[in-house]
Amino acid sequence: MDKLSCRKATFLSVKKSEEGLSLSENITLSYHNRLCKVCKFWDDQSRLIDFFLKKNIEDPSSRPLTPGEKEHIKSKVKQMRSH
Amino acid sequence: MLFGFAVSRTKDEGLAKDLVQETFVKAFENADQLKEASQLKSWLFKVLRNKIIDHYRSLAARMNKKTVELDYSVYFDQSEMWQMDKMPGDWLATYDVKKEEDFKHLKSTLEECIDHLKEMPAAVIKLKYMDEVKSGEICKLLNISSSNYWVIVHRAKLKLRDCMEKMLPRL
């Protein structure tokens, strides 16, 4: 009998990808995902996200400081050092 | 570069400027600890990273159980089954990761979704995957319990997946 809720199934799915599950957790999750199509979709999509996060993602770059902002920080640092 | 790194980690330009400023002050105060001038860049990044982790730690301290439960109720009902409007659809079947165009599209969508995460889950995801810090070490750095760590990662993945489903056009 499937005793796992969808919330717990998604939690186990996350834990599985990060550090693995015990044998009983693995069996319980597999059983739930065989019965619950929606959680199976979630599991597959979550693994795709892991794939990108683990190897293929780049840190979103942001704009560099403008010259004015650089000067502002320099003057603030000078002020802080003089105190 | 320091500023870009700080913004990408804090998602707050004002805070990032303050942290960069504090980093330079700290660097001047502890300049004697720098053994070689060639290591200046990595040393500054290390100082900044510690400042950012201090900021994450204060965020983690403000987290409470109520917020966590509220977040879950968006996705699951009282019996812990999916809310109707959050049920995952089968969009993955319409993409082929081996195709360059699909790969790029999925990747850029995920990057955008990471940018939409709130600060704390974004911090944990970035520490975990971009800085490759192990989960036990993240718990120590942020002074959070292992169960809180798992809740944060779980919520982040729920949000990322949901965001991708909303943003990806069906092919």
Side-chain angles (χ1 to χ4, degrees):
Chain A
M1 192 182 154
D2 182 21
K3 288 177 183 171
L4 206 61
S5 67
C6 294
R7 172 173 152 171
K8 284 186 185 119
T10 57
F11 181 81
L12 286 183
S13 172
V14 169
K15 209 172 167 196
K16 184 179 181 177
S17 76
E18 303 278 326
E19 63 172 28
L21 298 175
S22 68
L23 181 63
S24 66
E25 285 175 325
N26 237 323
I27 293 169
T28 315
L29 177 63
S30 301
Y31 187 66
H32 178 89
N33 284 349
R34 279 181 70 185
L35 297 177
C36 180
K37 202 189 278 182
V38 180
C39 284
K40 178 74 174 80
F41 291 156
W42 195 89
D43 190 51
D44 292 342
Q45 292 158 13
S46 175
R47 275 191 277 133
L48 175 85
I49 290 171
D50 285 337
F51 165 77
F52 280 109
L53 284 175
K54 284 176 183 168
K55 289 198 170 150
N56 297 291
I57 208 79
E58 287 157 22
D59 199 358
S61 58
S62 58
R63 68 169 181 82
L65 285 172
T66 63
E69 286 169 337
K70 280 182 188 172
E71 282 309 311
H72 181 70
I73 288 182
K74 274 185 196 172
S75 67
K76 283 273 184 185
V77 170
K78 275 181 191 168
Q79 275 176 24
M80 288 167 86
R81 285 183 67 206
S82 62
H83 286 303
Chain B
M1 286 172 81
L2 288 171
F3 176 67
F5 180 74
V7 173
S8 82
R9 293 300 194 268
T10 62
K11 302 170 71 179
D12 180 336
E13 289 201 0
L15 176 66
K17 280 179 198 167
D18 288 346
L19 292 174
V20 170
Q21 199 172 292
E22 287 171 26
T23 297
F24 279 113
V25 171
K26 180 115 182 164
F28 280 124
E29 284 170 357
N30 299 286
D32 54 324
Q33 288 175 15
L34 181 66
K35 287 168 189 158
E36 284 182 42
S38 61
Q39 293 172 344
L40 178 65
K41 190 174 151 189
S42 61
W43 187 62
L44 284 171
F45 268 101
K46 197 177 162 190
V47 174
L48 177 60
R49 188 171 170 271
N50 287 339
K51 291 265 167 213
I52 292 168
I53 287 170
D54 284 345
H55 169 68
Y56 288 164
R57 201 177 285 134
S58 69
L59 276 180
R62 292 202 297 269
M63 262 184 54
N64 59 49
K65 198 169 183 291
K66 197 178 164 191
T67 316
V68 172
E69 293 305 320
L70 266 175
D71 261 28
Y72 274 131
S73 70
V74 173
Y75 299 96
F76 303 102
D77 62 21
Q78 283 186 332
S79 53
E80 300 195 342
M81 298 299 158
W82 288 99
Q83 298 281 14
M84 287 299 284
D85 61 334
K86 293 291 176 184
M87 275 187 183
D90 191 17
W91 51 262
L92 193 53
T94 59
Y95 286 88
D96 180 356
V97 185
K98 287 175 188 158
K99 279 189 193 165
E100 196 184 345
E101 192 186 337
D102 286 3
F103 181 93
K104 279 184 183 169
H105 192 64
L106 289 165
K107 181 174 172 273
S108 63
T109 305
L110 179 60
E111 283 168 352
E112 207 175 327
C113 287
I114 291 173
D115 227 24
H116 290 164
L117 281 179
K118 282 183 187 163
E119 203 176 3
M120 193 60 202
V124 171
I125 291 289
K126 285 172 182 179
L127 279 172
K128 172 87 185 157
Y129 296 104
M130 291 169 192
D131 297 342
E132 296 180 347
V133 181
K134 295 203 182 306
S135 50
E137 185 65 16
I138 295 175
C139 292
K140 276 188 202 165
L141 285 172
L142 304 183
N143 198 21
I144 54 174
S145 64
S146 168
S147 57
N148 256 355
Y149 167 82
W150 286 114
V151 167
I152 293 168
V153 175
H154 185 206
R155 284 162 54 194
K157 291 262 178 83
L158 283 165
K159 282 183 183 171
L160 287 176
R161 197 221 63 83
D162 187 50
C163 170
M164 285 189 82
E165 178 153 335
K166 280 181 191 149
M167 291 182 69
L168 286 169
R170 302 298 159 94
L171 296 178

